[in-house]
Amino acid sequence: MTIRFAHCFLVPALCCGLAARAQDASLADLSLEELVRLDVTAVSRKAQKLSDTPAAVTVLSAADIRRSGARSVPEALREVPGVIVAQIGAGRWSVGVRGGEGRFSNKLLVQIDGRSIYSPLFSGVFWEALDVVLEDIERIEVIRGPGASLWGANAVNGVINIITRKATATVGSLVSATVDDGGHSSLSVRQGISLGDAGALRVFAKGSELGGSRTRDGASEPDYNRGWLAGFRMDGAGSGVDAWTLQGNSSRRTSGENIIATSLTGEPAPLSLDFVFESASLLGRYNWGLAGGEASIQAYVDHQFANVGTYGKGTVNTADLDFQHRLVPYGVHEIMWGLGGRMLQTEIAAASSVLSITPPRRQSRVFSAFVQDEITLVPQTWKLTVGGRFEYSSRSRFEPQPTARLMWTPNMEDSVWASWSRAARTPSIGESDATILFGAQPTPPGSPFPMVVLASRPGEGWNRRAERVDTLELGYRRNLGNGSFEAVLFHNDYHRLISEQTDPNGLVFPTSPLPVAPFVAPIQYLQRGSQSAARSHGIEVGADLPLTAALRLQASYTLMDTRVRRSADAAANATARHLEESAPQHWGSLRMTVNLGGGQEFDVAARRVGAIGTGDVPAYTAVDLRYAWRVNRYFDLYFIAQNLFDPLHLEYVSNFFPGQPVYQPRRAFIQGVWRF
Amino acid sequence: MLRHLSRFALFLALGLAGLPVVVASQPGEYQIKAAYLINFARYVEWPASRLPLGAVLRLCVLGRDPFGGALLGLDGRQVQGREVRFRPVDSLEQALECHLVFVSGSEERRLGLILRGLAGRGVLSVSDIEGFAEVGGGIGMVTEDDRVRFDINQATLARDGLRASSQLLRLGRQVFGTERTSR
């Protein structure tokens, strides 16, 4: 490589100029055998091929995920512009799109193979309960901005679709073993079996233990996360156009962390909290030709259970049915429509009187319909997409979620698009039904009581309407030969945001002693309601530059600002401030991937994340390294180092539980992957 | 360590300086893919009713043309004693008039619809959309380890009355729809 480099550099005309001219003509004369052996200068990424989509979409291919050195799904998302990922602790992540960050980022929808893993209990994703066989992921699609017209409620700020490979593409055996510098290990085993004309089946299992975080002094590990998953996927044979899939998963994970609680003496003290998550699901999908177009029907059942120490447990059972139909193009119109129905059964049993849920058991139903028309205004140049989703939920009202997107592609290289969309987020069970005792707070001097106990409950007469966002986006994409450049400007207008306000009726004197210290004190209620409003705007930039056949640079940068409406109420202002400050205002990443030849890869990634106001998290820079060696066609070896120049750093302080802030140390992994 | 670093920096600087030149010295992804299309036309046999002896072979791109002019250079070329004519097309109806259709990545969202429309019409479908051959496309081009390879779906070809030569099948990375499935 170096030699060819030097030659080209010294004698460019001889080496290259002539060759380039002769090439177009002569390439076509090459035989198949010669073509198969020819090295490509640089490969265009999948993302480029999305130049026809009038939305901010990033697709991470299996190769992108592998080369990122990610050990989990959130880590793989770190390089996507507009997505902010922060590690809270072992297996615990905050993943937000365009702000709205938090442990349960409630405006982001996450799906695995079409199955939602968004929990209706707390409006968010329990990342600590999620593990996947990374080797079997085909791609991850990240759609920033409202995806509601296609994906439904809760896709307010974005949608993340994790798509696993078809069983027909994973015939054979795979064993992947990883161990980190602390001795924590993970093992995935997959066996794919061809069923001949019927298709293929794969069964898989994975067990993993994640490395813990550190306390501020680096001495002890205050958290843990371990568990297993097992499942199967069956796909029909690929030769026909009709396709079917059947898949099932089951998992169990335990995760522990400390929360800071007020002890009897009034001193803050860490209190350990252990979570158990169990889940099982079964999904089937069938695609077939219908009226000249293409239809698909998907059904799944899903069971999720979570146990939180001795404090309580929650169960969510879901049954979902979804139908989609893409009609054969009619004139300049390409229409897609669909219907969906979902039954949800939730139950929260609070063992502690700190939290009470009324009613503890709920059954809710969601019915939805969507239609989308892609209209070609000028062939190859102007396209207009209009669509909408109409959703009825027994827990909210009728929520129309429309979108309009216009795209201009003046040439092969450039595309410009603009969009307006509206999306809604249904209040979670926790938001709509929970009463939570936060604990005692000293009152200002001169008050008749030394302490009051703060508690949050749904406001009286609150109609529990969904939060709403109106989003304007303007995007530009440019193909740079084999690379690409992308920039998106966005503006969000949020209405009816759920927030807390001080109960105007003042203090309430409980008739029996309280379950928290100081046991006898008046209660000041904070009432939840659809009271707040906010605006945010920002810019996301992404670039992918293949510099040479062997060297590629990828960069992303996001700058954004959130403003929440202020009021005269102190409690409301605290919520507002939290919303504004729970995400950094800017973050970026730079990645260099090098192919060293001989099946060796070397990757360096650096990221810079701005400070976060909530929890006083300082800005930080982290550098990760990865070296991979394809030893032979059966065996790959990886070395991964994370946080190379940083002994310890803080990425996020959990905002849902008063979690103990934990720090991320330097880590190293060695991984072997056998395919046979 | 420092010396290594400075060497690395030098390597980088040299690399960046020589960059435009190096890029031009090797064929781009779509130049290679265009060459593949000609070879597919060479090694696939159409039924005589669909492509009579000596007739013009129509090679089309459905959707946004990613070849950047590389296909125009192939216009008028002779393959197996017939002339190849290149044409970009916008719709399925137009695509049905072609013998070989390259389905552009821009059409990924309507892929199912396109494959259904082309089924049984004697058209060889080729694409670099991921998993193309697997989901029922004719030939899928795959970039792996910086080389362009291809997967063939024999069942699709057979259904459409097309015959792939044994050489094509031998060089395919994966052949779907038969007993032989590598990997």
Side-chain angles (χ1 to χ4, degrees):
Chain A
M1 185 65 225
T2 325
I3 293 169
R4 196 167 64 196
F5 241 54
H7 266 111
C8 274
F9 185 58
L10 296 171
V11 275
L14 197 75
C15 177
C16 312
L18 293 173
R21 222 163 307 145
Q23 202 172 75
D24 264 4
S26 62
L27 263 180
D29 294 324
L30 291 182
S31 70
L32 270 178
E33 281 92 345
E34 289 166 308
L35 279 174
V36 165
R37 273 186 232 111
L38 204 60
D39 275 339
V40 188
T41 323
V43 190
S44 54
R45 276 179 85 219
K46 188 92 185 167
Q48 257 181 62
K49 295 169 190 152
L50 288 159
S51 53
D52 244 34
T53 317
V57 180
T58 304
V59 176
L60 298 174
S61 66
D64 291 328
I65 297 166
R66 193 189 65 214
R67 297 204 73 154
S68 72
R71 322 294 323 139
S72 63
V73 171
E75 280 170 274
L77 301 171
R78 276 189 150 142
E79 63 169 291
V80 180
V83 178
I84 175 70
V85 177
Q87 184 161 13
I88 303 172
R92 304 193 304 283
W93 297 88
S94 155
V95 179
V97 174
R98 295 179 176 172
E101 201 194 10
R103 182 157 184 180
F104 300 97
S105 181
N106 62 25
K107 293 174 183 60
L108 177 66
L109 181 69
V110 183
Q111 309 190 115
I112 299 183
D113 289 328
R115 173 173 57 93
S116 168
I117 56 167
Y118 180 92
S119 167
L121 292 184
F122 297 103
S123 284
V125 175
F126 286 101
W127 291 104
E128 58 264 59
L130 177 74
D131 194 15
V132 289
V133 178
L134 280 172
E135 287 82 3
D136 283 344
I137 293 183
E138 185 193 285
R139 64 181 192 273
I140 300 177
E141 299 173 349
V142 183
I143 300 125
R144 286 116 58 199
S149 66
L150 275 184
W151 306 106
N154 307 323
V156 170
N157 281 355
V159 183
I160 294 175
N161 279 322
I162 302 163
I163 294 152
T164 65
R165 299 173 73 188
K166 284 185 154 203
T168 41
T170 55
V171 174
S173 310
L174 176 133
V175 175
S176 168
T178 309
V179 63
D180 75 357
D181 56 322
H184 307 95
S185 60
S186 132
L187 180 71
S188 307
V189 182
R190 174 248 285 164
Q191 179 63 50
I193 306 148
S194 171
L195 304 175
D197 288 341
L201 162 74
R202 80 162 169 262
V203 287
F204 57 89
K206 179 179 179 182
S208 63
E209 182 179 24
L210 307 180
S213 312
R214 300 281 193 279
T215 46
R216 191 188 197 108
D217 54 13
S220 59
E221 288 192 7
D223 58 3
Y224 67 88
N225 184 298
R226 62 180 81 96
W228 57 263
L229 82 134
F232 73 93
R233 174 168 176 160
M234 253 173 115
D235 284 277
S239 53
V241 244
D242 293 350
W244 57 268
T245 301
L246 183 69
Q247 60 188 105
N249 285 286
S250 126
S251 73
R252 182 186 155 92
R253 285 200 89 71
T254 52
S255 171
E257 63 184 295
N258 288 337
I259 58 168
I260 302 293
T262 314
S263 69
L264 277 177
T265 55
E267 297 286 307
L271 173 75
S272 76
L273 203 58
D274 298 286
F275 294 81
V276 179
F277 298 97
E278 288 169 358
S279 76
S281 71
L282 190 66
L283 178 143
R285 193 184 308 116
Y286 183 63
N287 291 50
W288 77 102
L290 177 64
E294 191 183 32
S296 80
I297 192 155
Q298 175 188 286
Y300 70 81
V301 285
D302 182 71
H303 164 80
Q304 307 278 341
F305 168 80
N307 187 69
V308 189
T310 54
Y311 299 94
K313 46 189 147 204
T315 311
V316 183
N317 291 317
T318 311
D320 185 282
L321 188 66
D322 200 55
F323 168 80
Q324 277 191 24
H325 187 197
R326 187 184 273 277
L327 303 179
V328 72
Y330 176 77
V332 296
H333 298 274
E334 272 191 75
I335 295 173
M336 226 174 122
W337 67 283
L339 294 170
R342 181 176 288 183
M343 291 272 292
L344 270 168
Q345 196 183 53
T346 55
E347 184 174 349
I348 298 184
S352 153
S353 36
V354 172
L355 172 77
S356 62
I357 304 269
T358 357
R361 215 167 296 156
R362 264 194 190 267
Q363 283 238 8
S364 41
R365 288 171 302 277
V366 182
F367 299 102
S368 62
F370 83 87
V371 61
Q372 177 182 297
D373 186 5
E374 209 174 305
I375 308 159
T376 307
L377 302 175
V378 179
Q380 308 262 352
T381 315
W382 285 96
K383 231 175 212 182
L384 174 70
T385 306
V386 287
R389 190 180 187 96
F390 307 93
E391 199 158 85
Y392 164 80
S393 161
S394 59
R395 293 196 33 243
S396 185
R397 288 201 210 165
F398 176 70
E399 295 293 347
Q401 304 183 69
T403 184
R405 293 167 186 273
L406 183 66
M407 178 143 167
W408 179 48
T409 41
N411 52 49
M412 270 311 293
E413 280 74 43
D414 303 285
S415 52
V416 180
W417 56 271
S419 76
W420 168 77
S421 9
R422 170 172 288 182
R425 182 186 73 88
T426 321
S428 70
I429 301 281
E431 282 166 329
S432 95
D433 301 341
T435 300
I436 308 159
L437 284 183
F438 284 139
Q441 200 183 37
T443 52
S447 300
F449 309 100
M451 282 201 164
V452 293
V453 168
L454 284 183
S456 169
R457 68 176 179 191
E460 274 164 44
W462 176 30
N463 60 10
R464 293 169 171 81
R465 281 201 70 177
E467 295 183 339
R468 169 197 279 183
V469 65
D470 287 291
T471 301
L472 290 171
E473 289 172 286
L474 181 64
Y476 170 69
R477 261 190 220 107
R478 183 172 174 83
N479 277 350
L480 306 159
N482 296 304
S484 64
F485 172 81
E486 173 191 39
V488 180
L489 281 168
F490 64 87
H491 176 88
N492 290 324
D493 228 329
Y494 299 94
H495 303 279
R496 301 198 302 257
L497 284 181
I498 296 167
S499 72
E500 286 164 341
Q501 224 161 34
T502 314
D503 184 353
N505 297 326
L507 301 177
V508 175
F509 296 90
T511 48
S512 54
L514 296 168
V516 293
F519 307 107
V520 184
I523 300 177
Q524 175 62 64
Y525 279 108
L526 304 175
Q527 295 197 326
R528 287 194 302 276
S530 309
Q531 302 143 354
S532 189
R535 280 180 176 182
S536 70
H537 58 267
I539 182 167
E540 304 156 346
V541 184
D544 176 29
L545 304 167
L547 297 182
T548 72
L551 178 70
R552 170 171 223 126
L553 276 183
Q554 288 165 323
S556 80
Y557 184 73
T558 308
L559 181 70
M560 67 165 295
D561 188 41
T562 306
R563 298 265 166 231
V564 185
R565 196 179 61 201
R566 295 306 162 102
S567 72
D569 185 70
N573 276 348
T575 328
R577 201 166 42 246
H578 172 76
L579 257 176
E580 283 178 3
E581 296 180 352
S582 64
Q585 293 193 320
H586 71 108
W587 61 95
S589 71
L590 186 65
R591 197 137 77 88
M592 185 179 77
T593 65
V594 190
N595 295 335
L596 299 170
Q600 296 176 88
E601 298 170 343
F602 177 66
D603 307 304
V604 193
R607 61 179 197 278
R608 173 81 185 165
V609 180
I612 303 174
T614 305
D616 286 326
V617 180
Y620 74 90
T621 306
V623 177
D624 298 347
L625 285 187
R626 173 180 173 274
Y627 168 79
W629 180 27
R630 168 153 288 190
V631 181
N632 55 45
R633 56 182 290 217
Y634 304 110
F635 183 52
D636 291 348
L637 194 61
Y638 305 134
F639 297 95
I640 295 157
Q642 294 177 340
N643 298 339
L644 203 64
F645 300 117
D646 193 6
L648 278 180
H649 72 251
L650 181 66
E651 294 190 10
Y652 203 80
V653 178
S654 169
N655 60 4
F656 186 75
F657 292 105
Q660 176 187 6
V662 293
Y663 292 73
Q664 297 313 312
R666 209 173 267 144
R667 290 181 207 280
F669 302 87
I670 177 164
Q671 180 180 14
V673 180
W674 291 261
R675 288 185 176 85
F676 50 92
Chain B
M1 179 68 200
L2 249 174
R3 226 186 56 207
H4 273 101
L5 255 174
S6 62
R7 243 201 223 164
F8 184 69
L10 185 71
F11 173 81
L12 259 186
L14 274 181
L16 291 176
L19 188 84
V21 184
V22 177
V23 170
S25 77
Q26 277 181 320
E29 181 183 358
Y30 279 96
Q31 288 169 300
I32 295 181
K33 285 181 177 171
Y36 263 111
L37 291 186
I38 283 292
N39 269 292
F40 295 151
R42 210 172 268 153
Y43 291 110
V44 171
E45 212 178 286
W46 276 261
S49 57
R50 180 82 176 92
L51 184 62
L53 213 67
V56 165
L57 189 146
R58 281 187 298 274
L59 190 161
C60 306
V61 171
L62 178 60
R64 302 229 304 167
D65 180 354
F67 289 92
L71 286 183
L72 272 177
L74 301 179
D75 199 44
R77 226 183 152 78
Q78 295 286 319
V79 163
Q80 307 287 74
R82 53 176 107 246
E83 195 183 334
V84 175
R85 282 267 158 225
F86 164 67
R87 186 183 157 198
V89 294
D90 291 332
S91 69
L92 198 55
E93 293 88 78
Q94 290 176 341
L96 286 171
E97 294 163 14
C98 311
H99 300 102
L100 195 164
V101 172
F102 180 86
V103 183
S104 162
S106 69
E107 305 307 294
E108 182 158 1
R109 284 173 296 144
R110 5 185 140 69
L111 185 58
L113 212 63
I114 292 167
L115 290 180
R116 265 171 229 286
L118 294 177
R121 306 295 288 267
V123 179
L124 172 63
S125 58
V126 180
S127 179
D128 55 3
I129 291 173
E130 223 171 294
F132 182 73
E134 202 189 319
V135 299
I139 302 181
M141 293 197 265
V142 190
T143 309
E144 197 179 65
D145 300 332
D146 291 327
R147 286 175 187 182
V148 180
R149 309 266 330 252
F150 58 92
D151 296 342
I152 305 176
N153 193 322
Q154 263 283 56
T156 303
L157 263 55
R159 180 197 63 199
D160 298 343
L162 307 170
R163 259 192 52 199
S165 74
S166 57
Q167 197 183 6
L168 194 66
L169 292 173
R170 187 167 50 78
L171 288 169
R173 189 188 68 141
Q174 266 182 298
V175 179
F176 296 102
T178 53
E179 284 308 299
R180 190 191 93 108
T181 305
S182 56
R183 256 153 76 110

